[in-house]
Amino acid sequence: MKRFIVAPSILTANFLNLGKELDNLKEAGLEWIHYDVMDYNFVPNLTFGPKILSDITSKYDFKIDIHLMVQVLNISVEEYLKPFINNKIKQLTFHFESLNKEQVVEFISFCKKNNIAASLAVNPDTSLSYLDEYLNDLDNILVMSVFPGFGGQKFIEKTYEKIKALKNLKLEKKLNFRIQVDGGVNEQTFKLVQEAGAEMIVAGSYLVGGLSVEKIKQRVWKLEN
Ligand code: DX5
Ligand code: ZN
């Protein structure tokens, strides 16, 4: 069976201890880090940008999954993304809702050019049908199971149906994109998320925030088994 990807989000870390949190995630065997970029514009929160990312990637070997919850104004998508890019960046996700059509096209071609997985996210109230025209070009689709902006929110139950619908679409059209889910994933919600068809999940508060290596290992084990 194809291995399921668990990507811890550092959004819920205590940033005074970020190095320690990353050491623990590494020691617990995690390969990916989910990096939530927010702009106080597309979402009501502000996080981090390229500097903290390059501090992380210059020291650690994690594969990086960047989740951009931002609008791109007065600058090209390429210019916006360039400062974030290095060889550890394996996936970039923009929200379908935050870009216009030209920007989506520019974004996807930027990813292809740089050999990075191209991913679009949809908010809980956005229909998957908006993604129809991009399905062939996407490497990943991120189904949001909370409204983006904060860690520690409750999983929105109707997301299960959305994941199933996306899985059916993928099978029906024989498409290659991966199905990712972000928000409120924990021991209670995980099994149903996986059964519904998710292949990659993000976990913030469940895995990051002062947990010991042992605790992280136990929780990841529960997610993977
Ligand atoms: C929320 C972020 C998530 C967040 C998940 O907008 O995109 O990645 O960190 O945190 P939990 O797992 O606590 O919902
Ligand atoms: Zn995220």
Side-chain angles (χ1 to χ4, degrees):
M1 202 181 134
K2 203 166 75 189
R3 189 145 167 255
F4 192 81
I5 299 175
V6 177
S9 160
I10 57 166
L11 181 65
T12 52
N14 176 338
F15 292 106
L16 294 180
N17 303 322
L18 184 58
K20 178 77 185 142
E21 299 265 24
L22 291 166
D23 288 343
N24 287 355
L25 292 167
K26 189 177 157 196
E27 210 181 318
L30 286 146
E31 287 174 18
W32 286 79
I33 290 293
H34 180 84
Y35 192 77
D36 287 303
V37 180
M38 305 186 187
D39 68 349
Y40 242 147
N41 193 1
F42 178 64
V43 287
N45 197 1
L46 182 65
T47 58
F48 24 62
K51 167 67 168 69
I52 295 180
L53 183 66
S54 80
D55 288 350
I56 296 172
T57 53
S58 56
K59 177 166 177 199
Y60 295 92
D61 267 343
F62 293 111
K63 297 175 188 169
I64 308 289
D65 171 34
I66 305 183
H67 179 191
L68 295 138
M69 288 156 275
V70 302
Q71 285 189 310
V72 179
L73 305 169
N74 309 317
I75 180 174
S76 71
V77 171
E78 171 153 5
E79 276 175 278
Y80 190 100
L81 288 172
K82 261 191 185 156
F84 286 94
I85 303 307
N86 63 51
N87 62 0
K88 312 263 172 72
I89 313 307
K90 302 299 179 196
Q91 177 161 284
L92 288 171
T93 299
F94 258 112
H95 272 256
F96 167 77
E97 303 86 357
S98 75
L99 300 181
N100 62 36
K101 203 170 165 173
E102 290 72 41
Q103 288 177 316
V104 173
V105 172
E106 190 192 346
F107 166 59
I108 294 174
S109 89
F110 176 87
C111 291
K112 304 278 171 215
K113 215 165 58 191
N114 289 280
N115 210 9
I116 296 172
S119 166
L120 284 178
V122 280
N123 277 343
D125 58 359
T126 299
S127 162
L128 289 170
S129 61
Y130 288 112
L131 298 183
D132 275 354
E133 60 189 299
Y134 307 114
L135 292 179
N136 278 311
D137 298 318
L138 291 172
D139 301 297
N140 186 82
I141 292 176
L142 171 51
V143 178
M144 289 303 297
S145 39
V146 298
F147 282 91
F150 299 92
Q153 301 183 75
K154 193 174 173 307
F155 187 92
I156 297 171
E157 302 273 320
K158 64 174 197 244
T159 313
Y160 297 124
E161 290 310 314
K162 202 169 183 178
I163 305 168
K164 280 184 201 156
L166 189 58
K167 185 184 173 183
N168 288 337
L169 192 69
K170 177 177 165 170
L171 292 173
E172 231 171 73
K173 301 200 171 183
K174 299 193 172 49
L175 291 164
N176 288 323
F177 59 79
R178 174 168 62 201
I179 301 175
Q180 182 181 20
V181 176
D182 182 6
V185 175
N186 57 33
E187 222 164 298
Q188 281 77 45
T189 53
F190 174 72
K191 276 287 161 255
L192 289 172
V193 167
Q194 194 177 27
E195 275 165 29
E199 295 152 292
M200 178 171 191
I201 56 118
V202 177
S205 46
Y206 187 60
L207 291 182
V208 185
L211 301 179
S212 67
V213 174
E214 264 325 295
K215 193 85 195 162
I216 299 170
K217 274 191 186 161
Q218 269 174 23
R219 291 187 171 192
V220 171
W221 189 88
K222 278 188 190 152
L223 296 183
E224 286 179 341
N225 291 279

